[in-house]
Amino acid sequence: MMKRVYFNDVVTRDGFQIEPNFIPTDDKVKLVDELSDCGFAKIEVTSFSSPKAIPMLKDAEEVMGRIKRVSGVEYTALVPNLRGAERAFESKADEFNLVMSTSETHNLANLRMGREKSFAGLAEVIKYVDGRTPINVSLSTCFGCPMEGEVSRDVVEGFAKRFADLGVRGLTICDTTGMANPEQVKKMCDSFQKQFPSLQLTLHFHNTRGMGLANILAAVQSGIIRFDGSLGGLGGCPYAPGASGNVSSEDAIHMLDAMGYETGINIPKLLQLAKELSQIVGHEVPGQVAKAGSTYTLHPEPSYVEELRRQQ
Ligand code: COA
Ligand code: ZN
């Protein structure tokens, strides 16, 4: 039996937040609609962060209001604090993706407060939401912080446990700047699945050091079925030094499909969309499969091959 995996595309949030030039609202809405047509289980549409912190996503309300809602697709949004939750609520996000870092330094850099203050604020958000909307918590820098270095598994699991106790539906374990390696991923996934068997667990990798697909492989082989990816491999936290693109959705989906996993995605459509992305952002994007074509896209043989074949 084919095993089903579920992808959340984060290009219009994680992908766009680090882009230097403002991407017009029309382009964001159109891209989300096209991602819906590709068959993603979830799309992280935008972020209800402070528009001063993330000017690219200052049009969050308008984007949420204009996208087409396809049944079976969840439209989630990043929420850093209570103000963000109020805005996400008004915009009818299907899920609130709360965020904090497991590294004190990265939390201060990104959210301008310490971890305990973030946790208390997010606990307040969970109370305010009161079960009306499912909550996911993305924990940043779980595999290492670009400023502090190692973040201990005890710290990561400590925050995970505190959120699990508050009744969240899911947790996303984020490798914010691509520091994870497959062995570390396997250990983390085994431990999380054992400790939190009833939570939806998602893995979020950045391909900063070329380990993104290897880490996805390690996670899926440990039993993880939910992944974040970003079309074209765009992305990065503007407040994490050295951040670069997420693992490319199409490269990861192409790999898992070739291995026999059921992704639910229309891959030719996804590759076409990835090809068009460079026009939207105005530069080349890192994803590889959209450039190479899928393994099913064959090239014509050179003309001299037929001659050689006859001589054999
Ligand atoms: N949405 C809109 N405005 C917000 C807001 C939100 N979620 N949170 C705060 N603000 C506004 C406040 O109203 C206030 O506005 P004013 O200056 O006009 O009075 C201003 O922002 C400062 O508010 P404050 O509570 O002091 O926030 P802050 O400046 O300490 O910023 C965060 C805290 C969390 C809001 C901000 O750092 C942030 O949005 N970070 C998100 C970073 C992010 O998304 N990173 C990438 C994803 S990992
Ligand atoms: Zn990220």
Side-chain angles (χ1 to χ4, degrees):
M1 202 189 74
M2 291 219 281
K3 190 153 188 196
R4 180 73 157 92
V5 289
Y6 299 88
F7 269 79
N8 171 30
D9 196 284
V10 302
V11 68
T12 52
R13 198 280 296 170
D14 206 339
F16 285 177
Q17 70 185 4
I18 199 168
E19 285 297 317
N21 301 316
F22 187 77
I23 294 160
T25 308
D26 286 354
D27 289 349
K28 292 170 179 154
V29 171
K30 186 159 172 276
L31 184 53
V32 170
D33 287 350
E34 283 168 334
L35 288 167
S36 293
D37 292 338
C38 288
F40 280 95
K42 203 192 273 193
I43 299 170
E44 189 158 310
V45 177
T46 188
S47 168
F48 291 100
S49 300
S50 152
K52 272 183 216 142
I54 310 284
M56 174 63 86
L57 304 177
K58 65 183 179 197
D59 55 2
E61 276 82 357
E62 194 183 343
V63 174
M64 287 298 289
R66 287 177 50 197
I67 55 169
K68 163 183 87 184
R69 308 274 182 132
V70 173
S71 83
V73 184
E74 256 192 4
Y75 300 91
T76 188
L78 198 82
V79 167
N81 60 8
L82 194 55
R83 177 79 194 98
E86 288 163 358
R87 294 172 60 206
F89 209 77
E90 287 268 301
S91 289
K92 301 188 168 57
D94 294 328
E95 178 196 74
F96 296 175
N97 184 23
L98 312 189
V99 64
M100 69 167 282
S101 190
T102 54
S103 142
E104 183 74 1
T105 311
H106 179 245
N107 207 71
L108 287 164
N110 190 35
L111 300 166
R112 312 181 69 83
M113 60 186 110
R115 288 172 299 182
E116 283 308 324
K117 193 166 169 205
S118 266
F119 180 82
L122 297 181
E124 211 184 316
V125 168
I126 294 167
K127 207 164 137 200
Y128 159 80
V129 173
D130 193 25
R132 292 174 294 175
T133 303
I135 300 225
N136 186 76
V137 179
S138 282
L139 295 172
S140 309
T141 68
C142 290
F143 298 93
C145 164
M147 295 160 284
E148 281 185 23
E150 190 193 342
V151 177
S152 85
R153 264 239 313 281
D154 283 352
V155 168
V156 173
E157 291 176 1
F159 282 109
K161 168 110 186 27
R162 289 166 76 185
F163 282 112
D165 290 346
L166 295 177
V168 302
R169 180 180 68 169
L171 289 173
T172 300
I173 310 165
C174 301
D175 181 24
T176 308
T177 58
M179 293 172 75
N181 67 67
E183 191 57 33
Q184 193 187 11
V185 168
K186 182 185 183 308
K187 289 194 182 111
M188 185 83 85
C189 292
D190 287 347
S191 171
F192 262 73
Q193 289 175 101
K194 206 167 183 193
Q195 288 184 68
F196 310 107
S198 57
L199 286 189
Q200 285 188 3
L201 297 175
T202 302
L203 271 286
H204 176 110
F205 294 114
H206 283 256
N207 197 36
T208 311
R209 292 174 180 80
M211 292 189 275
L213 287 183
N215 288 331
I216 294 234
L217 183 63
V220 83
Q221 289 180 340
S222 326
I224 294 293
I225 58 169
R226 290 186 170 79
F227 296 96
D228 285 356
S230 176
L231 188 74
L234 294 179
C237 174
Y239 301 102
S244 69
N246 291 67
V247 69
S248 141
S249 289
E250 67 276 13
D251 289 3
I253 288 164
H254 173 268
M255 176 183 81
L256 293 174
D257 174 77
M259 291 175 70
Y261 288 90
E262 175 57 60
T263 65
I265 303 283
N266 178 336
I267 294 177
K269 196 171 215 154
L270 179 65
L271 293 178
Q272 185 53 39
L273 196 55
K275 272 186 165 173
E276 292 161 13
L277 185 60
S278 56
Q279 280 149 39
I280 299 176
V281 293
H283 57 79
E284 280 256 303
V285 301
Q288 289 180 278
V289 178
K291 292 171 197 150
S294 83
T295 51
Y296 305 109
T297 314
L298 302 183
H299 298 269
E301 62 184 35
S303 52
Y304 57 84
V305 166
E306 184 51 32
E307 182 61 33
L308 289 169
R309 190 178 282 121
R310 263 183 297 197
Q311 289 166 16
Q312 301 307 303

